[in-house]
Amino acid sequence: MQLPKFSLGMGDRFAHQAKAQLQACILGAEAGADVAPVWNKSNREHLIIGSEPSGTRAAADAAVKELGWTKPYFLDADHINLKTYERFVAPCDFFTIDVADNIGQKSDDAEIAKFVARHPELIGEISIPGIDKPFSLDKAFVEKTAKQFLAAVQHAAEIYKAVVEKKGNEDFVAEISMDETDAPQTPPELLIILAAIADEKLPIQTIAPKFTGRFNKGVDYVGDVPQFAKEFREDLATIAYAIDKYGLPANLKLSVHSGSDKFSIYQSIREALKDTGAGVHVKTAGTTWLEELIGLAEAGGDALVLAKEVYAEAFAHAEELCAPYATVIDIKTANLPSPETVNGWTSEQYVRALRHDENDAQYNADLRQLLHVGFKVAAKMGTRYTDALQANEEVVARNVTTNLFDRHIKPIFIG
């Protein structure tokens, strides 16, 4: 199974927006950008919502059928490991293998020695087209990098083989996620990682490295944009070099995790893709859930009351809700309005506070991040929440489609 050149990982917490999300991809195709939709939902999200991967598959398939989508689409078992993969095997055809916990776990010394012996080409001066200066590696650096990442790659291979055994075939897309580390991988480190992946005969089609800066949930990139642009281009160059050097899949491409609403880096991504002809996979995480709230607030009446209730509960349980996402949110609690204040807001005030428009003085990034992780509140509402989505489907869907097309697909893939 081949992942197309451009793909968009789309979260749909409550499995009600697949049609609206797919409509954004249809608009993209009409504008000249073929972007494959990849619906993703992690095991943690399924546990919180009380859903099953089969439900996400059913929603995606129904949207594809209703809108007449004839191009590829995928369902991602997001951030799986050996403890969680089995429930995803049947409905999914894209597997994001999460090895964050294995990075830094030292492999057996003999395994490291074998790796270094297999790759004499990694020692010495290496020139990669697209990277300005050659870099020179010694044996100690290769050994050190292998100690840092070899166990993670070997564990990824173990997960991949477990999926193959359960699925009975290799007809799916595999991604390795290495973005949840303390520091960005340098091109030499990425090259060594890719050599290890080739050794394990892992046919991955995307890899998610760590980039400089913060990729907080649902808000803009925080960091040095020129440095990100440099790293992104160097990673593209390193992947192209490794494909040729190690026989990795020809369509192997970068994956940008928590790529939702990272508006300030989209131009850098688009220009790099245009200049190099490379592909990319961008995950938009949970912004669809936020667009649902915006749609409910915009609808007014009981829907606005419900949206205000979600905020009040999220505010009251902020510590609990934020804990699992501590490394990918940065909420200044002093900037959060009180529930009493929010209860007095009009539809317009709620929408302006939540909608990601940094030119709007009423936009509140702290409120947005809290609500981003607050989907557990809506999950506890059960059918009361999903009934509200259905009752206000038109306004909610319009916000979901607009968000994905105007704020993501256009700036990244069209310009």
Side-chain angles (χ1 to χ4, degrees):
M1 185 171 288
Q2 294 286 307
L3 186 66
K5 183 176 181 179
F6 300 135
S7 51
L8 191 66
M10 308 183 301
D12 186 11
R13 298 285 194 265
F14 298 94
H16 275 65
Q17 306 308 325
K19 191 166 69 171
Q21 292 172 319
L22 184 58
Q23 184 60 42
C25 293
I26 290 171
L27 292 174
E30 290 173 351
D34 282 333
V35 182
V38 181
W39 281 279
N40 53 261
K41 192 170 179 179
S42 69
N43 189 65
R44 176 168 60 187
E45 289 157 6
H46 279 296
L47 291 175
I48 289 172
I49 301 294
S51 56
E52 289 290 335
S54 57
T56 310
R57 165 60 68 185
D61 288 348
V64 165
K65 182 177 181 181
E66 186 171 345
L67 295 183
W69 180 260
T70 58
K71 298 178 182 184
Y73 68 101
F74 303 85
L75 189 69
D76 181 7
D78 195 14
H79 287 284
I80 58 161
N81 55 43
L82 284 175
K83 295 178 181 178
T84 62
Y85 78 95
E86 291 191 54
R87 72 189 302 200
F88 294 95
V89 168
C92 292
D93 48 19
F94 188 121
F95 293 83
T96 297
I97 300 171
D98 189 342
V99 293
D101 290 342
N102 303 92
I103 295 172
Q105 290 184 3
K106 184 183 169 185
S107 293
D108 179 78
D109 286 339
E111 288 293 314
I112 294 170
K114 288 177 185 177
F115 175 81
V116 176
R118 278 196 304 271
H119 294 287
E121 80 286 351
L122 291 172
I123 298 172
E125 188 172 276
I126 300 173
S127 296
I128 295 181
I131 297 180
D132 292 339
K133 295 180 181 179
F135 47 83
S136 184
L137 307 184
D138 58 20
K139 183 179 179 181
F141 180 87
V142 177
E143 287 178 341
K144 177 184 175 183
T145 304
K147 287 177 182 177
Q148 180 77 358
F149 294 105
L150 191 56
V153 172
Q154 291 171 336
H155 188 65
E158 189 179 355
I159 298 171
Y160 179 86
K161 290 169 186 174
V163 173
V164 170
E165 185 175 345
K166 282 285 184 182
K167 206 168 183 67
N169 60 64
E170 295 185 67
D171 195 23
F172 57 86
V173 173
E175 169 178 302
I176 290 182
S177 167
M178 289 194 164
D179 62 308
E180 295 184 6
T181 59
D182 293 333
Q185 292 95 25
T186 63
E189 288 172 332
L190 182 58
L191 182 61
I192 292 168
I193 291 166
L194 292 170
I197 289 170
D199 284 352
E200 296 293 336
K201 296 181 170 53
L202 266 172
I204 63 165
Q205 297 184 46
T206 72
I207 184 166
K210 167 80 171 178
F211 295 104
T212 192
R214 288 186 64 91
F215 286 73
N216 292 332
K217 295 289 187 180
V219 294
D220 203 356
Y221 172 78
V222 179
D224 185 336
V225 173
Q227 178 61 25
F228 167 83
K230 180 176 182 291
E231 288 176 11
F232 188 83
R233 284 178 179 265
E234 289 182 346
D235 284 351
L236 291 179
T238 303
I239 287 173
Y241 179 85
I243 289 170
D244 183 59
K245 190 77 173 176
Y246 298 116
L248 289 163
N251 67 332
L252 175 59
K253 60 185 182 178
L254 279 177
S255 178
V256 181
H257 281 201
S258 295
S260 51
D261 291 42
K262 302 301 178 284
F263 303 141
S264 59
I265 62 173
Y266 287 170
Q267 181 178 350
S268 298
I269 293 174
R270 185 181 72 250
E271 290 175 351
L273 299 180
K274 182 179 178 181
D275 291 345
T276 62
V280 74
H281 178 63
V282 178
K283 284 194 175 184
T284 63
T287 49
T288 287
W289 141 248
L290 294 178
E291 295 303 322
E292 287 179 343
L293 275 184
I294 288 170
L296 293 175
E298 199 173 90
D302 290 342
L304 174 60
V305 171
L306 187 147
K308 291 177 178 180
E309 185 179 328
V310 169
Y311 178 77
E313 284 295 302
F315 186 92
H317 298 92
E319 186 174 349
E320 169 198 339
L321 295 170
C322 293
Y325 301 94
T327 60
V328 286
I329 54 175
D330 185 15
I331 297 174
K332 298 175 180 62
T333 55
N335 294 339
L336 293 172
S338 69
E340 292 75 20
T341 297
V342 173
N343 283 339
W345 281 355
T346 63
S347 287
E348 181 185 6
Q349 286 174 304
Y350 193 111
V351 169
R352 289 179 65 185
L354 181 54
R355 179 173 285 150
H356 193 173
D357 179 0
E358 297 195 15
N359 293 319
D360 189 336
Q362 300 304 309
Y363 167 61
N364 188 321
D366 301 286
L367 173 143
R368 183 174 172 87
Q369 288 179 88
L370 176 60
L371 285 172
H372 189 290
V373 301
F375 67 96
K376 187 175 184 178
V377 173
K380 288 182 176 179
M381 292 179 172
T383 55
R384 182 173 166 230
Y385 178 73
T386 52
D387 286 351
L389 294 180
Q390 292 174 338
N392 299 279
E393 180 180 359
E394 184 178 348
V395 63
V396 170
R398 172 169 45 79
N399 279 284
V400 170
T401 300
T402 298
N403 172 57
L404 280 178
F405 179 64
D406 285 352
R407 303 188 192 109
H408 292 85
I409 292 176
K410 279 179 71 174
I412 298 173
F413 302 107
I414 300 171

